[in-house]
Amino acid sequence: MNPEIKTPLPGWLSDSFPIRLLSKTYGAVIKRRNLSFERNKDLSYRSEFPVISIGGIRAGGTGKTPLTMQIAHYLVSQQYNVAFLSRGYRRASKKDQIVLPYEKSDWQLIGDEPAMLHENIPQSFLAISSKRVRSAQKLQQIAPSNTVLLLDDGFQHRKLGRDLDIVCLNESILSEKLIPAGYLREPIESLNRADILVLTGSADRLSDLKETASGLRERFGDKAIFIAVQSVECWVNAFTGEQQVEPPFKEPVAFCGIARPHRFFQLLETQGVYPVKKIIFPDHHRFSQYDIESMHKLYSHGLVTTEKDAFRLSNNNFVPELKLWYLKIKIRFESDSQLNRFNTLISNVVLNKFKRRSSS
């Protein structure tokens, strides 16, 4: 059975006339907005740095963060500087923030996912603002000339022009509905403005991902289409940083506050981990003292969670010394040749942008 939930509403309500009308109206508004950007290129600001957007057209987790991290690691390996641009979803502060390389930051002020990206790639710049153009302009004043801007969740943020648009998709994308009947932020036709489509999902859904890839090639044959599956890198102790390949516990309490918790629980089973209790919190949940104490009372062997949840917990002052480990995951392309092709597309775009800049 496909575990992907395609509607935030009860089935009878998502198919009702008022909801279908709302979705149609919403789609018309989005199309009109996109058309205005197509007709007037001056609406988008062009940075002197290469801009790569990693985004989606579906609300919820589609693997954008691990793909962004992989791209950043690749660019760093190619001797480029990297700057992440994010709005800092659900952060406590509304002020613009620039986090410099190796600078410590409070995730509550900048958002959990941007803070996690910066911690994994500490030599990066991090710019947080609801106005990504403003972030790009500030970075142009302080970042090295060989900096590449990575626009987090940027497909809809069209005021900042980009040199490469990468869109992450799930296996059910071809049958999804627009908000509010479904989770689509834009009509499927919006993929025409993307350069690269990356289908992400769990390894056990590979056949479904391949089937969706075939459907996408029929409709968007001029796009570079890739398949990338989640794979386990290692287990990490959230407080000591100790890493190991084998699961630390066989029957822990498992908890998470992410968009698609079933994916995390499925990954646990592939590792031979069968939780005695599964606890689901809302996405980007801010853990309270009560949450921690309740889970602390539940477990006998230990707690396991996702990297994002462990990041929020381990950076909380009230967290006791828990036996807490998280599953560090990465995305793995279908083959080495596909990964090499993907990296080559990234390199070509970046090199061409720098060449155009130097010749102007």
Side-chain angles (χ1 to χ4, degrees), residues 17-157:
F17 176 75
I19 295 299
R20 284 189 282 114
L21 181 60
L22 282 173
S23 290
K24 188 174 181 179
T25 303
Y26 171 79
V29 171
I30 296 300
K31 286 181 179 179
R32 191 178 303 117
R33 176 181 182 269
N34 285 331
L35 186 60
S36 66
F37 279 97
E38 298 300 326
R39 287 177 173 173
N40 187 357
K41 301 299 183 183
D42 291 336
L43 292 177
S44 297
Y45 171 78
R46 304 299 301 192
S47 171
E48 64 184 47
F49 292 142
V51 177
I52 299 175
S53 168
I54 302 96
I57 63 169
R58 187 192 195 275
T62 50
K64 295 184 292 292
T65 300
L67 183 62
T68 301
M69 202 174 298
Q70 178 167 313
I71 293 170
H73 278 299
Y74 172 70
L75 289 169
V76 169
S77 75
Q78 301 301 300
Q79 308 306 309
Y80 292 110
N81 282 285
V82 168
F84 298 108
L85 279 69
S86 175
R87 64 174 171 147
Y89 180 64
R90 293 193 68 177
R91 63 191 176 116
S93 171
K94 299 301 180 185
K95 294 180 180 178
D96 290 3
Q97 305 240 11
I98 298 286
V99 183
L100 301 175
Y102 302 104
E103 182 181 358
K104 294 295 182 182
S105 58
D106 183 348
W107 71 265
Q108 297 187 73
L109 298 179
I110 62 176
D112 54 356
E113 288 178 353
M116 191 176 75
L117 286 169
H118 184 65
E119 183 164 284
N120 274 273
I121 305 167
Q123 65 268 54
S124 64
F125 287 82
L126 175 60
I128 306 297
S129 175
S130 59
K131 309 291 185 183
R132 255 68 72 91
V133 169
R134 203 154 57 204
S135 291
Q137 291 170 335
K138 289 180 180 178
L139 286 167
Q140 284 173 183
Q141 299 172 11
I142 61 173
S145 60
N146 67 334
T147 299
V148 180
L149 307 185
L150 297 182
L151 184 57
D152 175 42
D153 197 10
F155 193 56
Q156 286 76 40
H157 194 85

Side-chain angles (χ1 to χ4, degrees), residues 203-212:
D204 65 328
R205 310 294 301 180
L206 185 57
S207 61
D208 294 309
L209 291 168
K210 288 182 176 180
E211 184 178 339
T212 303

